[in-house]
Amino acid sequence: MNLQNCDTMTIQNSDIRFTQKETQSILRIQNLNVFAGTHQILKNINLEIPKNQVTVLLGPSGCGKTTLLKCVNKLTDLYKELDVSGHIFIEDDDILNTSKNIPEIRQKMGLLSQRPYPLPISIFKNVAYGIKLKGVRDKNLIEFNVERHLKEVGLWEEVKDRLHSPATSLSIGQQQRLCLARGLAVKPRIILADEPTSALDPISSKIIENLFRSLKNHYTIILVTHVMRQAVRLADNVVFMDDGEIIEQGNPNELFKNPKTVKLKEYLVDGN
């Protein structure tokens, strides 16, 4: 896809407003390296993620975007073959070098995968599960917060009369929003979204995008996407990766209009 052929709705659309003000960083990554045996997946990643913005990780398949998300959520601990070194600070806590337990760290981040994975229980219990992880046991408080989080993701009106139906009875778009509600229930600081609309229809994708626009007022969002139009619509900050390295990063208006590297120029032209 040639960026110049995006129906002029990309950079020049007056409805798109890029945040210019300076913001506080909520996440700082320093000298992050990941090896699988002799193969280096991430190469000396240094990155700051601004608070209450949507940061888009962009780049070709296999460039390390998903691995970077897994490092931030410490899911790399599940893969014994991976050797991870460096520092990842969430505010002042270095999560790669901490005595805190992993579940406590992961609760700081809500993870939204490519495909939704609701728990094999009711709609209500999916969200209640996240609330109970925070130690809430009062029935009335759980019910209040289930409703609040379902409203937060625009799902309450669609499911309020069937809260005790299986979560798998929902459409895939509704399941994705349910998983987001469950993630928000643990009160995260950061939402990690790994191509969250890739399996959704256009209407469901638009709903998720609109949710991200509103949720960034209260959460920091790190979004992996291959869709250039989506990156343009949502990004306040763009990080372009290739072959495990950060090639360019910064304001999307500047990066997309005036890419400094050949790799980013080629990516924008090819749309890969």
Side-chain angles (χ1 to χ4, degrees), residues 9 16 54 56 112 152-153 173 176-177 180 193 195-198 200-217 221 223-236:
M9 66 87 184
I16 298 176
V54 177
V56 168
L112 205 59
E152 198 171 16
V153 300
Q176 190 69 301
R177 283 185 282 154
L180 180 56
E195 297 189 65
T197 63
S198 63
L200 306 185
D201 62 85
I203 294 175
S204 297
S205 297
K206 185 177 181 179
I207 292 172
I208 293 291
E209 287 188 10
N210 288 336
L211 282 172
F212 285 162
R213 289 191 184 95
S214 62
L215 287 171
K216 74 177 182 179
N217 292 319
I221 300 171
L223 170 67
V224 169
T225 183
H226 286 288
V227 182
M228 278 301 307
R229 286 184 174 90
Q230 185 174 73
V232 170
R233 286 192 295 265
L234 293 179
D236 300 301

Side-chain angles (χ1 to χ4, degrees), residues 81-235:
E81 69 275 16
L82 294 182
D83 180 19
V84 181
S85 63
H87 305 275
I88 299 177
F89 293 94
I90 297 180
E91 294 172 331
D92 295 325
D93 190 12
D94 184 356
I95 66 171
L96 294 185
N97 304 278
T98 182
S99 58
K100 290 185 178 179
N101 62 57
I102 292 176
E104 183 180 351
I105 292 170
R106 287 183 181 148
Q107 286 181 22
K108 294 183 178 181
M109 289 156 281
L111 179 63
L112 205 59
S113 303
Q114 293 183 25
R115 294 190 63 85
Y117 293 100
L119 300 174
I121 49 181
S122 71
I123 296 167
F124 180 91
K125 287 182 178 178
N126 261 268
V127 185
Y129 174 81
I131 296 167
K132 290 177 180 179
L133 281 178
K134 301 302 290 185
V136 179
R137 293 293 180 266
D138 182 85
K139 181 179 177 181
N140 292 330
L141 191 55
I142 290 173
E143 289 180 354
F144 172 81
N145 280 292
V146 166
E147 179 176 344
R148 181 167 68 90
H149 291 302
L150 287 173
K151 285 180 176 177
E152 198 171 16
V153 300
L155 198 54
W156 174 252
E157 292 299 327
E158 299 171 37
V159 303
K160 64 181 181 181
D161 296 324
R162 49 176 176 145
L163 290 174
H164 300 291
S165 298
T168 52
S169 67
L170 298 173
S171 71
I172 190 169
Q174 290 173 322
Q175 288 182 29
Q176 190 69 301
R177 283 185 282 154
L178 179 66
C179 290
L180 180 56
R182 188 181 69 213
L184 296 179
V186 300
K187 298 181 179 179
R189 305 296 306 278
I190 300 168
I191 298 171
L192 306 175
D194 189 3
E195 297 189 65
T197 63
S198 63
L200 306 185
D201 62 85
I203 294 175
S204 297
S205 297
K206 185 177 181 179
I207 292 172
I208 293 291
E209 287 188 10
N210 288 336
L211 282 172
F212 285 162
R213 289 191 184 95
S214 62
L215 287 171
K216 74 177 182 179
N217 292 319
H218 305 286
Y219 306 92
T220 298
I221 300 171
I222 305 176
L223 170 67
V224 169
T225 183
H226 286 288
V227 182
M228 278 301 307
R229 286 184 174 90
Q230 185 174 73
V232 170
R233 286 192 295 265
L234 293 179

Side-chain angles (χ1 to χ4, degrees), residues 60-78:
S61 298
C63 72
K65 303 184 300 295
T66 296
T67 299
L68 181 54
L69 286 191
K70 287 180 178 178
C71 289
V72 171
N73 203 32
K74 285 188 73 70
L75 287 176
T76 46
D77 289 8
L78 302 177

Side-chain angles (χ1 to χ4, degrees), residues 46-65:
N46 289 278
L47 178 63
E48 293 197 6
I49 301 295
K51 187 177 182 179
N52 296 124
Q53 290 192 8
V54 177
T55 293
V56 168
L57 303 183
L58 202 61
S61 298
C63 72
K65 303 184 300 295

Side-chain angles (χ1 to χ4, degrees), residues 27-30 45-49 55 57 68 237 239 246 249:
L27 179 70
R28 292 178 291 119
I29 300 173
Q30 296 177 353
I45 300 295
N46 289 278
L47 178 63
E48 293 197 6
I49 301 295
T55 293
L57 303 183
L68 181 54
N237 182 46
V239 178
I246 294 178
Q249 59 181 300

